[in-house]
């Protein structure tokens, strides 16, 4: 138990030393924590707005008993919009299964579509009453049925604490399927973005702890993507607002009523600071990453001085580990977004082989973490059977999810939902990257990388001070030895007589017959200080 506590303490101390190695690494870590909390909270507020508004719109759809096997598809020609409802995925030649619910180019009579109460408000130009009502969650909904057959013909919406009512026709309710789908997808995006903040914090910390230049640049790349997406979402909110007004609140539409008057202003009020935070994180991270990478590249500090070919393989190993961590987030996010669509949206009734989709999803989720661990361990130990299994499973992920594009509902979701499309593309890119660099690492087996990583791990467990051990021995070897090697041995057991003690490597596995154990030798120098050096 004491040995375990000592190892934990040593690893924590080593992590702290790497985080505080320079002011840039410390600032990089602290900013990652701050932005994780700040941007996570902002995304949570956006999610709350999307979720509450979607819940209200969905209540209207359920109260009006709108069929769940319909998918709304919007066709756009400039400012002219045509909304169709389809009972099949609207791609290819399936438009025969679609019906036009509204076309903004048509000239409609006001008396055919205006809600009587709203017509009175329009004629009196009392629009303030319309937009000053309570929030949607405080309104009540009641179905209006045809006395002859009992079918629902519309929904009565009561608002302003019961003082005002408006009738939403069946056609109006069915048109709300389109904004309802946008809101449904938006709340899924919000959850993914919240998770991305914690993932970014994890990959930032990993890059600092392992001096990994690829991980540092991966953080910068992720910040660029997040900033670009934040800019796009502001434009998209304004564009959705235009479409919403043209289809729902326009003067010649079946609804002619704003059922979510505060949604767009509230969302923009949250998206603008979210964009500011993203840009701040991007610029600060890029600035610090430049100095961190420059320091990592030029530093001669190493635990063990490996030959150049080993360092080249080590960089490939770090790049591969970067792709593995990217795969964990983007692949799981992409397939989770898809399976949530399959379970909780209208396309669930349009899917032809849902059992196969669920099986592929479950297999990927169950195996992806063991797959990552296998890739990491097989390269570190240079175990060929494991790396072969890792590469085969990697190839299966790529082929299996590529075949999903034969599904019309999957292809339709990919085309119609930009966030899902972008996430899916990135997930394929990182899976291919993991495959390529996994093969590169495999071709380098036997060149000394496993032994180097093994020695480095041993020195870490032995509390070897990496910050004061240098490879630069050309200037003054004797001076370097006298002044630079200061290696405290927290695990050493010096004898009472002061005689040096040899401590066997506790990490050595007897099965590693090709990799000899390492012995840590504690000795006292002329000044009485104790140091530890490896012996092979």
């Amino acid at each position: 138990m004491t040995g375990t506590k000592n190892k934990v303490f040593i690893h924590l101390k080593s992590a702290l030393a790497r985080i505080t190695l320079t002011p840039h690494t410390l600032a990089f870590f602290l900013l990652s924590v701050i932005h994780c909390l700040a941007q996570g909270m902002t995304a949570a507020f956006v999610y709350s707005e999307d979720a509450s508004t979607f819940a209200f719109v969905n209540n209207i759809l359920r109260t009006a008993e709108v069929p769940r096997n319909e998918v709304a598809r919007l066709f756009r020609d400039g400012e002219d919009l045509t909304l169709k409802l389809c009972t099949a995925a609207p791609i290819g030649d399936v438009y025969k299964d679609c019906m036009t619910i509204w076309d903004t180019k048509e000239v409609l009579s006001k008396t055919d579509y205006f809600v009587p109460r709203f017509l009175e408000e329009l004629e009196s130009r009392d629009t303030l009453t319309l937009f000053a009502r309570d929030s949607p969650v405080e309104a009540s909904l009641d179905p209006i049925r045809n006395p002859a057959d009992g079918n629902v013909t519309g929904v009565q919406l009561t608002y302003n604490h019961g003082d005002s009512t408006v009738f939403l026709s069946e056609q109006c309710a069915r048109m709300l399927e389109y904004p309802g789908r946008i809101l449904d997808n938006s709340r899924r995006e919000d959850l993914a973005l919240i998770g991305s903040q914690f993932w970014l914090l994890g990959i930032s910390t990993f890059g600092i702890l392992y001096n990994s230049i690829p991980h540092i640049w991966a953080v910068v790349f992720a910040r660029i993507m997040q900033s670009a997406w934040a800019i796009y979402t502001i434009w998209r909110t304004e564009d959705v607002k235009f479409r919403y007004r043209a289809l729902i609140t326009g003067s010649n539409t079946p609804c002619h009523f704003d059922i979510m008057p505060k949604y767009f202003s509230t969302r923009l009020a949250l998206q603008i600071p979210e964009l500011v935070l993203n840009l701040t994180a991007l610029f600060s991270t890029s600035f610090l990453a430049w100095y961190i990478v420059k320091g990592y590249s030029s530093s001669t500090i190493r635990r063990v001085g490996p030959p150049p070919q080993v360092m080249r393989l080590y960089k490939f190993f770090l790049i591969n580990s970067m792709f593995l961590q990217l795969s964990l987030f983007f692949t799981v996010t992409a397939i989770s977004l898809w399976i949530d669509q399959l379970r909780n949206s209208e396309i669930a009734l349009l899917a032809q082989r849902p059992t196969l989709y669920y099986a592929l999803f479950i297999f990927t989720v169950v195996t992806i973490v063991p797959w990552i661990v296998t890739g990491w361990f097989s390269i570190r130990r240079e175990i060929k059977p494991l790396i072969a299994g890792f590469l085969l499973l990697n190839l299966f992920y790529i082929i299996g999810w590529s075949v999903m594009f034969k599904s019309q509902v999957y292809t339709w979701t990919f085309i119609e939902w930009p966030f899902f499309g972008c996430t899916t593309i990135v997930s394929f890119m990182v899976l291919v990257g993991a495959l390529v660099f996994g093969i590169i690492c495999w071709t380098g087996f036997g060149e000394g990388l496993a032994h180097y990583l093994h020695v480095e791990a041993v020195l870490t467990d032995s509390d070897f001070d990496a910050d004061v051990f240098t490879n630069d021995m050309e200037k003054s070897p004797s001076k370097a030895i006298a002044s630079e090697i200061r290696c405290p041995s927290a695990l050493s057991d010096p004898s009472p007589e002061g005689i040096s003690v040899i401590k066997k490597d506790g990490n050595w596995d007897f099965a590693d017959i090709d990799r000899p154990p390492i012995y840590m030798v504690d000795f006292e120098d002329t000044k009485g200080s104790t140091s530890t050096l490896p012996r092979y």
Side-chain angles (χ1 to χ4, degrees):
M1 182 64 68
T2 303
T4 302
K5 291 182 179 180
N6 287 337
K7 285 189 175 182
V8 171
F9 174 75
I10 290 171
H11 281 287
L12 290 177
K13 191 171 71 170
S14 176
L16 180 61
R18 288 184 177 274
I19 292 174
T20 60
L21 181 63
T22 67
H24 297 115
T25 56
L26 178 60
F28 187 88
F29 175 77
L30 293 178
L31 283 175
S32 298
V33 174
I34 293 172
H35 279 285
C36 173
L37 298 177
Q39 292 181 254
M41 290 180 61
T42 305
F45 288 132
V46 176
Y47 169 77
S48 176
E49 183 66 22
D50 287 336
S52 61
T53 307
F54 167 74
F56 178 68
V57 174
N58 191 56
N59 284 339
I60 296 178
L61 298 177
R62 302 288 76 81
T63 303
E65 298 182 359
V66 173
R68 291 183 57 85
N69 63 336
E70 294 180 343
V71 176
R73 174 69 190 272
L74 183 69
F75 295 87
R76 186 170 183 175
D77 183 13
E79 295 187 357
D80 296 326
L81 307 178
T82 302
L83 183 64
K84 294 179 179 288
L85 296 179
C86 308
T87 55
I91 59 175
D93 58 350
V94 299
Y95 290 111
K96 63 181 181 296
D97 299 321
C98 301
M99 62 168 290
T100 300
I101 188 71
W102 187 252
D103 191 339
T104 59
K105 291 182 291 186
E106 297 180 5
V107 179
L108 302 173
S109 172
K110 293 182 179 180
T111 57
D112 292 337
Y113 294 95
F114 276 11
V115 179
R117 179 173 182 80
F118 190 83
L119 182 59
E120 296 175 3
E121 293 178 346
L122 181 66
E123 292 175 348
S124 63
R125 300 183 183 276
D126 186 14
T127 58
L128 293 178
T129 303
L130 175 65
F131 293 98
R133 69 183 190 279
D134 294 340
S135 61
V137 294
E138 298 174 357
S140 62
L141 301 169
D142 297 295
I144 305 300
R145 299 184 181 274
N146 187 334
D149 53 18
N151 293 331
V152 176
T153 59
V155 176
Q156 180 172 287
L157 171 65
T158 304
Y159 59 97
N160 281 347
H161 302 287
D163 296 334
S164 303
T165 60
V166 67
F167 176 76
L168 305 178
S169 66
E170 179 185 3
Q171 184 182 15
C172 170
R174 294 181 70 184
M175 289 181 64
L176 290 177
E177 288 188 67
Y178 180 69
R181 180 165 176 79
I182 294 177
L183 292 168
D184 193 19
N185 288 338
S186 295
R187 66 191 183 96
R188 294 187 177 98
E189 294 177 17
D190 300 333
L191 290 176
L193 292 174
I194 293 173
S196 71
Q197 298 303 325
F198 293 94
W199 167 77
L200 263 179
L201 175 60
I203 198 172
S204 301
T205 305
F206 186 93
I208 294 296
L209 294 181
Y210 285 86
N211 292 1
S212 175
I213 294 176
H215 285 79
I216 299 299
W217 285 128
V219 173
V220 176
F221 175 71
R223 294 293 186 189
I224 293 174
M225 289 195 297
Q226 284 192 338
S227 300
W229 185 258
I231 295 173
Y232 166 75
T233 54
I234 290 180
W235 171 86
R236 185 184 62 176
T237 299
E238 290 291 341
D239 188 63
V240 171
K241 183 179 180 180
F242 161 76
R243 285 177 270 164
Y244 173 76
R245 288 181 173 178
L247 295 173
I248 306 300
T249 66
S251 60
N252 60 342
T253 62
C255 293
H256 202 137
F257 188 78
D258 190 357
I259 63 170
M260 44 186 197
K262 299 179 182 180
Y263 171 74
F264 294 103
S265 59
T266 302
R267 204 174 201 281
L268 283 173
L270 293 170
Q271 285 180 307
I272 291 175
E274 184 178 32
L275 174 60
V276 172
L277 286 172
N278 274 294
L279 293 177
T280 302
L282 172 61
F283 292 133
S284 60
T285 300
S286 301
F287 173 80
L288 293 172
W290 172 260
Y291 283 97
I292 292 173
V293 170
K294 185 178 179 181
Y296 286 168
S297 301
S298 61
S299 176
T300 59
I301 297 175
R302 295 290 187 272
R303 283 190 176 91
V304 179
Q309 66 270 20
V310 173
M311 281 307 301
R312 181 175 61 87
L313 291 174
Y314 183 62
K315 291 178 181 179
F316 290 150
F317 167 70
L318 291 178
I319 294 174
N320 181 262
S321 67
M322 177 195 71
F323 279 120
L324 292 180
Q325 295 192 31
L326 289 172
S327 297
L328 178 62
F329 175 76
F330 283 102
T331 302
V332 172
T333 299
I335 64 178
S336 297
L337 292 173
W338 158 243
I339 212 67
D340 187 54
Q341 282 272 331
L342 196 61
R343 286 181 56 85
N344 301 313
S345 71
E346 61 273 11
I347 69 170
L349 302 177
L350 308 181
Q352 298 177 349
R353 293 177 290 273
T355 303
L356 179 62
Y357 307 152
Y358 284 124
L360 181 58
F361 168 78
I362 293 173
F363 176 81
T364 304
V365 170
V366 170
T367 60
I368 192 166
V369 173
W371 170 71
I372 292 174
V373 174
T374 300
W376 176 276
F377 187 78
S378 62
I379 295 176
R380 288 186 66 93
R381 291 297 184 93
E382 295 185 348
I383 304 176
K384 292 184 178 181
L386 282 183
I387 190 68
F390 164 78
L391 295 176
L392 287 176
L393 190 55
N394 193 340
L395 194 61
F396 174 82
Y397 290 153
I398 296 173
I399 295 175
W401 285 102
S402 297
V403 173
M404 282 296 299
F405 283 98
K406 288 185 173 294
S407 166
Q408 289 187 336
V409 291
Y410 185 85
T411 304
W412 157 243
T413 305
F414 179 84
I415 296 172
E416 187 260 351
W417 188 7
F419 185 81
F420 174 73
C422 293
T423 306
T424 301
I425 291 174
V426 175
S427 69
F428 277 111
M429 292 172 59
V430 296
L431 283 173
V432 171
L435 178 66
V436 171
F437 282 92
I439 295 174
I440 292 175
C441 291
W442 189 6
T443 59
F445 280 11
E447 296 186 14
L449 176 62
H451 187 66
Y452 164 66
L453 295 175
H454 177 62
V455 172
E456 188 180 40
V458 171
L459 294 178
T460 299
D461 288 341
S462 299
D463 203 16
F464 189 86
D465 193 348
D467 297 333
V468 296
F469 189 76
T470 180
N471 289 335
D472 191 3
M473 308 291 287
E474 296 180 359
K475 295 182 180 180
S476 178
S478 60
K479 181 178 180 181
I481 294 176
S483 61
E484 296 291 345
I485 300 180
R486 297 183 291 101
C487 311
S489 180
L491 297 182
S492 60
D493 298 316
S495 64
E497 295 80 8
I499 301 175
S500 301
V501 176
I502 297 179
K503 183 178 177 67
K504 186 177 180 180
D505 170 22
N507 293 325
W508 180 70
D509 188 350
F510 70 91
D512 295 336
I513 57 177
D514 295 329
R515 191 172 301 115
I518 300 172
Y519 294 89
M520 308 306 297
V521 182
D522 296 332
F523 64 92
E524 295 184 358
D525 59 15
T526 56
K527 297 182 180 181
S529 60
T530 303
S531 301
T532 303
L533 290 178
R535 293 182 60 184
Y536 307 97

